[in-house]
Amino acid sequence: MARLIRESFAEVEPKADELAQYFYGALFVVAPDCRELFPVTMSTQRSRLLRALVYVVQMVDRPDELVTFLGQLGRDHRKFAVVSRHYDAVGVALIAALKRFLKEKWTTEVESAWTSAYGLIAKTMREAAQAETGPAAWSATVLEHRKLSRDVALVKVRTEGLLPYRAGGYVSVEVPQRPRFWRYLSPANAPRGDGQLTFHVRAVPGGWVSGSIVNHTRPGDVWRLGPSMGVLNVRPMSTKQRLLMIGGGTGITPLLAILDDLSRWKRNPPVHLFFGGRRPEDLYALEELRRLAATSKWLTVTPVTEEGALSGGDRGTLAHAVTQRGTWRNHDVLVSGSPPMIQATVAKLLAKGIELERISYDPFTLD
């Protein structure tokens, strides 16, 4: 089943955007009431679907990790009031889209593989959602909003009731200026008992939600947050292992949360962090990281820029800089940033001989 899914998805991947567009069209025909769950503009949603499909295809023969991801996704979807028939409609639309774009390569065996795989996906998500007893979403009041750089803002919120999460995780966020436009953001701090979470948000060109958060969010605004998701974390039992952290732009935020957590431990694993951006001014958190490194013998920070130079820094892409510095074969690796940055970096690490099982990344942390 894994082989058939991978091979058939490789056939349709060059037309993935068209496939996603067809999928949502079919879904809204099969289940018209699903349309109100989504924003008017669907471009980000289509991109998110593709990343989910790619991630599932990559993890199809790694069931433990896949089940964890699907369980988180199922719990997160409770905020949409998703019901059983919605899962059935998604299955019908997905099979229809794959069949249309695979054409003559849509064989009985391929259909059986995808039907079985989606059945397991839906079952896992349903069961996780049904087993969850906590809130479907949390209200959070904005306490502080300030610019960290020209296009990056820090936003501090306090949730109504504690939102359980592990340092390195991320949550879905809906802001009042853009209802139904859910985006994934990572807290930049480890969990505390006061319900406060800090986010770093960059205004991306054409980004309806990010631009709104950076330029229009005000103290007193009320956000909605979904449950915690993600695989980036470091547990105390793994502290004998060396860590390599790679963060690009605001992808540094989940790594900041992990470092915040690690700074409270009595014993820490050695950590080498690469923080990259196109220009020196993009490394908005560098001074904070350098201050932490100055008081933490276990932490080494290497800034990386593609244009312009920084003292003690490397030049080039993050993927190039990291692989030029060493083999990292005895390290657990955490990667966070834009989808293209994650893809390029993971590919370089695999080419250097690092086992995929040692590399952790999340597919949705930046939209």
Side-chain angles (χ1 to χ4, degrees):
M1 184 177 75
R3 178 183 59 80
L4 287 169
I5 287 174
R6 284 206 174 102
E7 289 177 355
S8 57
F9 187 75
E11 291 288 334
V12 299
E13 197 167 10
K15 295 185 177 181
D17 288 334
E18 296 171 63
L19 182 143
Q21 192 166 357
Y22 184 90
F23 164 81
Y24 279 110
L27 175 61
F28 298 150
V29 169
V30 175
D33 59 318
C34 281
R35 186 63 185 90
E36 65 185 29
L37 303 178
F38 298 95
V40 175
T41 302
M42 292 289 294
S43 57
T44 298
Q45 192 63 37
R46 288 195 292 269
S47 173
R48 193 175 291 166
L49 168 70
L50 297 178
R51 272 183 273 158
L53 282 174
V54 169
Y55 194 75
V56 167
V57 169
Q58 289 173 337
M59 298 294 157
V60 71
D61 54 1
R62 296 167 64 180
D64 290 345
E65 295 176 46
L66 184 56
V67 166
T68 297
F69 171 69
L70 294 173
Q72 292 177 348
L73 210 57
R75 287 187 288 274
D76 184 60
H77 276 57
R78 292 170 66 232
K79 66 178 185 280
F80 297 123
V82 171
V83 296
S84 185
R85 60 186 170 80
H86 291 145
Y87 284 103
D88 297 336
V90 167
V92 170
L94 178 62
I95 296 302
L98 290 166
K99 183 176 182 179
R100 177 182 176 87
F101 285 87
L102 279 169
K103 297 180 180 178
E104 68 277 0
K105 294 187 178 180
W106 181 255
T107 64
T108 302
E109 291 78 12
V110 170
E111 180 174 5
S112 177
W114 276 102
T115 302
S116 298
Y118 181 74
L120 291 171
I121 290 169
K123 180 175 183 289
T124 302
M125 291 179 64
R126 278 189 183 116
E127 290 179 350
Q130 291 167 358
E132 181 58 55
T133 58
W138 285 257
S139 293
T141 302
V142 175
L143 304 177
E144 179 184 356
H145 175 280
R146 60 184 169 89
K147 291 285 190 74
L148 298 178
S149 69
R150 176 178 52 84
D151 57 356
V152 176
L154 176 151
V155 182
K156 184 177 293 185
V157 306
R158 178 185 289 120
T159 58
E160 185 179 326
L162 290 181
L163 190 164
Y165 74 98
R166 183 176 291 132
Y170 61 95
V171 297
S172 53
V173 174
E174 181 190 46
V175 301
Q177 293 85 358
R178 293 288 184 262
R180 292 192 295 170
F181 279 80
W182 290 86
R183 293 296 183 267
Y184 291 112
L185 299 177
S186 294
N189 61 290
R192 297 190 175 93
D194 58 4
Q196 292 191 24
L197 295 86
T198 300
F199 300 101
H200 298 170
V201 184
R202 183 184 300 278
V204 299
W208 286 30
V209 177
S210 63
S212 177
I213 291 174
V214 172
N215 297 307
H216 303 295
T217 291
R218 297 291 182 268
D221 286 355
V222 177
W223 290 9
R224 290 179 68 208
L225 309 182
S228 177
M229 304 174 67
V231 299
L232 295 182
N233 63 80
V234 179
R235 299 171 185 264
M237 67 184 68
S238 63
T239 56
K240 293 182 180 179
Q241 184 61 52
R242 294 175 177 271
L243 296 175
L244 169 64
M245 297 184 181
I246 307 167
T250 49
I252 197 67
T253 53
L255 305 183
L256 287 172
I258 292 173
L259 293 175
D260 182 26
D261 193 34
L262 288 173
S263 68
R264 305 174 192 182
W265 295 7
K266 292 182 179 179
R267 299 179 62 184
N268 301 87
V271 179
H272 195 135
L273 170 68
F274 287 81
F275 179 29
R278 185 170 297 279
R279 296 172 295 274
E281 55 266 31
D282 294 330
L283 304 189
Y284 68 92
L286 183 57
E287 290 308 309
E288 177 185 352
L289 287 166
R290 281 177 164 166
R291 285 195 297 269
L292 180 59
T295 58
S296 307
K297 294 181 179 180
W298 47 270
L299 176 62
T300 302
V301 176
T302 300
V304 181
T305 50
E306 297 180 34
E307 303 170 7
L310 280 169
S311 174
D314 289 355
R315 287 288 302 278
T317 64
L318 271 166
H320 174 79
V322 170
T323 51
Q324 289 300 303
R325 282 268 185 162
T327 61
W328 311 107
R329 292 184 183 175
N330 295 321
H331 291 67
D332 287 337
V333 186
L334 281 64
V335 186
S336 179
S338 67
M341 170 264 174
I342 291 175
Q343 184 178 20
T345 303
V346 171
K348 280 270 192 180
L349 293 171
L350 293 175
K352 280 288 186 178
I354 296 179
E355 298 173 352
L356 182 60
E357 290 73 18
R358 285 189 174 274
I359 305 172
S360 297
Y361 66 92
D362 283 314
F364 294 137
T365 47
L366 290 180
D367 288 312

